[in-house]
Amino acid sequence: MAARQHPVTAGPQTDTRDWHRARWPLWLGGLAWLIVVGLGAGSLGALLWRAPAVDPGALWHDPYLGSVLRFTLTQATLSSVISLGLAIPVAVALARRPSFPGRRLLLRAMELSLVIPTLIALFGLVAVHGRQGWLAPLWRAVTGEPAGYLYGLSGIVLAHVFYNLPLAARLMLQALERQPEAHWRLAAQLGMTRRAIWRCLEWPALRRTLPRLAALVFTLCFTSFAIVMTLGGGPRATTLEVALYQALKFEGDLGRAALLALTQLAFCLVLWAVALHRGPATSLVATGGQRLPAGRWWRRDALGPSRLVDAAWLAGLALLLLPPLGAVVIAGLGGLPALPDNAALWSATGLSLVMALTAAFGALTLAVALLLGSERLRQRGAALSAGLMEGGGQVILILPAMVLGTGLFLLLRPSLGGGWQGYALVVLVNAFMALPFAMQVLQGALLEASPTRRRLADQLGIPARARWRWLVWPRLRRPLGLALAYAMTLSLGDFGVVALFGSPSRPTLPMLLYQQLGGYRWQGAAATALMLLVVVVAVFALLDRLSRRRPRYPQSRYWPTSAGKDPESDHA
């Protein structure tokens, strides 16, 4: 006797089976994987094709190239060790102090370190630490000499610490905030000492994040371009990235540029291979963790002398971060009257926004396609193929922007012209650079859907459109806005790739700021820096606010919810 079908779900179940058979996520994911891996492999192949023209031993036998390699390793190692070493006590102090005046402002300033353009940070550092900066009279009074520490190795390390210490501390704080509250209650009941809390609770949480975090910070310092170009101070303070730019832009030596790019890639590959082998996968984006309870009874280590120690670390962090940002605002306000007549500034702003929006949508499209394709492969039991598809978007982390841009330039050089074609290449590279961060923000929303919820949707026979509207979109809306904000702000602050392929006659905001700083046009540079800072903060704040808006949901035949109630609000 044939089994009877439920009268309500008989029809829609066919649609559900079709949904599971749908191949479009696999096709989209495969196409995105081919684009990312294909262009990455093509650029690498172009570098390998050009590199044999130069002897690899030149890095060691050529005195100049040898000094460049040694300086690159020295400054990246010093910057990484100091940034991570100082980030640990700062993160512990923030975790121990869940509420104090200005904590929210300090956290927002720390989160800006990932998206704030490098040239804005450099402008603020020069205004505070330069020869004519705020601290110059104090330095002269103490040492009797002009304040020249901002240029050379010390200035490069200071700028890298300013940029990477807040990022590292924010991600470490996120790891500490994920510790269950029950652990802290148990520590209080057992009367654990400060050393025991560090050994049993804090250090294990931090140790899991350190390998990939150290790899990220070292890679950012190793491939630094704008900081070294501005604060290097001459040939003795030149890195591989700057030497690559000089070989490609001024000398036209494609073989040497390929050799330098491959050297960069080799170091990044070895570093990330060790990091991925030694540590588990952790988030490299500060997506915000749970706020620790205000009650301190379960954090006995927050009492006593630790108050003064924590206050000192947090005050030091504020003195490192806030004065340069305040200097940008104060200096920029003086140039506000000339803004309406500054045609070059408005043209650069429009060009930067168009390029950033295009690159951001490209990064989001690739990220969603790769994640949907990998999820469909996991549902079919192909875990290895899913991991390979998802890893295709993360491989950009080991391929620096200048290396990728150089390879694509060599690959497309016969047909690559100037003008809009160069800017199209900049948009493509920026989209690839933002792809890993977009994937990490979106991954939780796309891949952590509850199996129970999916099975319930299958049993109810919910069609694909309703499933997207009620199950996927409420969970995806907030991460999508955050990913778009990260991608846009990363592209807005790009200078290295724009300096290589952009046109000086039609600059973006970072290029215009660099031209003004190089020409000692301080007032114009101040206005440009303020405009760039305002655009970055406005884009981030606007997208964050729009993604937080809760839509109104009408009555649904799938969920008996009241109008205006978010069916996913219980799991937000």
Side-chain angles (χ1 to χ4, degrees):
M1 184 175 178
R4 295 180 59 188
Q5 292 183 332
H6 195 280
V8 175
T9 60
Q13 280 181 346
T14 303
D15 181 78
T16 302
R17 289 194 297 268
D18 293 339
W19 166 262
H20 284 294
R21 291 197 191 104
R23 293 181 176 272
W24 62 267
L26 293 178
W27 287 109
L28 287 179
L31 179 61
W33 189 87
L34 286 176
I35 292 174
V36 176
V37 177
L39 287 179
S43 63
L44 182 59
L47 292 173
L48 292 172
W49 176 64
R50 294 295 307 187
V54 177
D55 180 16
L59 280 173
W60 307 105
H61 300 132
D62 188 324
Y64 172 70
L65 293 181
S67 65
V68 167
L69 180 58
R70 287 191 295 271
F71 180 80
T72 305
L73 292 173
T74 300
Q75 63 87 17
T77 303
L78 280 175
S79 302
S80 303
V81 170
I82 295 175
S83 298
L84 294 173
L86 296 179
I88 291 176
V90 168
V92 171
L94 283 169
R96 260 202 307 244
R97 308 293 163 190
S99 60
F100 60 85
R103 186 179 193 270
R104 186 179 182 85
L105 174 63
L106 191 59
L107 289 178
R108 290 296 174 266
M110 293 170 67
E111 291 170 358
L112 277 176
S113 64
L114 179 62
V115 299
I116 188 173
T118 308
L119 288 177
I120 290 183
L122 289 174
F123 183 91
L125 288 172
V126 170
V128 175
H129 300 278
R131 291 188 176 94
Q132 303 297 326
W134 294 356
L135 296 181
L138 178 62
W139 181 267
R140 183 182 292 273
V142 173
T143 64
E145 298 178 356
Y149 61 89
L150 188 60
Y151 302 96
L153 178 61
S154 58
I156 293 173
V157 172
L158 174 63
H160 284 158
V161 171
F162 172 85
Y163 217 80
N164 295 309
L165 187 155
L167 170 64
R170 185 67 184 89
L171 294 176
M172 290 179 182
L173 175 63
Q174 189 167 270
L176 291 173
E177 287 179 341
R178 290 198 182 106
Q179 292 284 85
E181 184 183 341
H183 291 181
W184 297 106
R185 286 203 190 98
L186 182 60
Q189 292 170 1
L190 295 176
M192 294 177 65
T193 63
R194 178 74 192 94
R195 181 176 299 180
I197 290 176
W198 165 258
R199 186 178 66 250
C200 299
L201 292 176
E202 293 173 338
W203 173 242
L206 296 177
R207 184 176 56 190
R208 289 192 294 269
T209 68
L210 274 179
R212 294 193 71 189
L213 186 54
L216 176 65
V217 172
F218 187 90
T219 302
L220 292 175
C221 299
F222 188 78
T223 60
S224 177
F225 176 73
I227 290 175
V228 181
M229 280 281 289
T230 307
L231 304 179
R236 296 181 59 185
T238 300
T239 60
L240 288 174
E241 191 95 349
V242 176
L244 190 158
Y245 169 77
Q246 294 171 346
L248 197 62
K249 189 76 172 180
F250 299 112
E251 301 171 7
D253 192 342
L254 300 181
R256 172 175 286 193
L259 177 63
L260 294 171
L262 286 174
T263 304
Q264 264 194 326
L265 180 62
F267 276 98
C268 293
L269 278 173
V270 171
L271 181 66
W272 277 99
V274 173
L276 294 175
H277 176 71
R278 296 296 300 271
T282 56
S283 174
L284 299 180
V285 176
T287 56
Q290 62 183 5
R291 183 181 175 118
L292 295 176
R296 298 181 181 178
W297 60 270
W298 48 273
R299 289 295 309 256
R300 290 186 176 181
D301 57 321
L303 306 175
S306 63
R307 291 183 175 180
L308 296 178
V309 175
D310 293 344
W313 282 113
L314 296 178
L317 177 65
L319 290 175
L320 175 69
L321 283 182
L322 299 182
L325 296 178
V328 174
V329 176
I330 293 173
L333 291 177
L336 286 181
L339 282 184
D341 301 327
N342 197 337
L345 180 59
W346 294 111
S347 174
T349 303
L351 179 61
S352 296
L353 285 172
V354 170
M355 292 176 59
L357 190 61
T358 307
F361 274 111
L364 259 65
T365 302
L366 292 173
V368 171
L370 289 171
L371 290 174
L372 287 179
S374 64
E375 173 66 7
R376 183 52 50 88
L377 287 173
R378 282 193 183 88
Q379 291 176 0
R380 296 189 174 191
L384 179 60
S385 299
L388 290 175
M389 180 173 290
E390 191 175 325
Q394 304 291 339
V395 78
I396 302 298
L397 283 173
I398 63 175
L399 198 62
M402 195 70 78
V403 174
L404 179 62
T406 303
L408 292 177
F409 174 78
L410 296 176
L411 186 67
L412 305 174
R413 187 168 58 93
S415 59
L416 184 65
W420 69 269
Q421 294 182 356
Y423 281 117
L425 185 59
V426 172
V427 169
L428 178 62
V429 174
N430 285 338
F432 278 17
M433 291 299 107
L435 177 59
F437 298 99
M439 288 185 66
Q440 292 212 13
V441 174
L442 294 174
Q443 189 172 23
L446 285 175
L447 304 185
E448 291 182 1
S450 170
T452 304
R453 193 179 294 111
R454 284 204 300 261
R455 286 195 296 268
L456 178 61
D458 292 340
Q459 293 172 1
L460 293 175
I462 300 174
R465 182 177 299 178
R467 189 178 298 214
W468 165 265
R469 180 183 181 185
W470 298 105
L471 289 180
V472 179
W473 176 245
R475 184 179 293 271
L476 185 62
R477 184 183 66 252
R478 166 79 175 129
L480 196 63
L482 186 61
L484 185 63
Y486 273 123
M488 281 196 68
T489 48
L490 287 172
S491 180
L492 279 170
D494 172 69
F495 174 68
V497 184
V498 171
L500 193 60
F501 302 111
S503 173
S505 61
R506 194 182 180 189
T508 59
L509 277 175
M511 182 182 289
L512 179 62
L513 177 57
Y514 182 78
Q515 291 173 349
Q516 292 170 336
L517 287 174
Y520 298 100
R521 291 173 285 170
W522 185 255
Q523 188 172 2
T528 303
L530 180 61
M531 175 64 74
L532 184 55
L533 180 62
V534 168
V535 168
V536 168
V537 173
V539 166
F540 205 90
L542 178 63
L543 291 174
D544 181 71
R545 183 174 180 83
L546 290 177
S547 63
R548 287 178 182 272
R549 293 182 62 183
R550 191 179 298 275
R552 295 182 62 85
Y553 290 91
Q555 287 283 355
S556 171
R557 62 190 179 95
Y558 302 108
W559 282 275
T561 57
S562 60
K565 180 177 173 60
D566 187 348
E568 290 289 327
S569 59
D570 296 336
H571 309 280

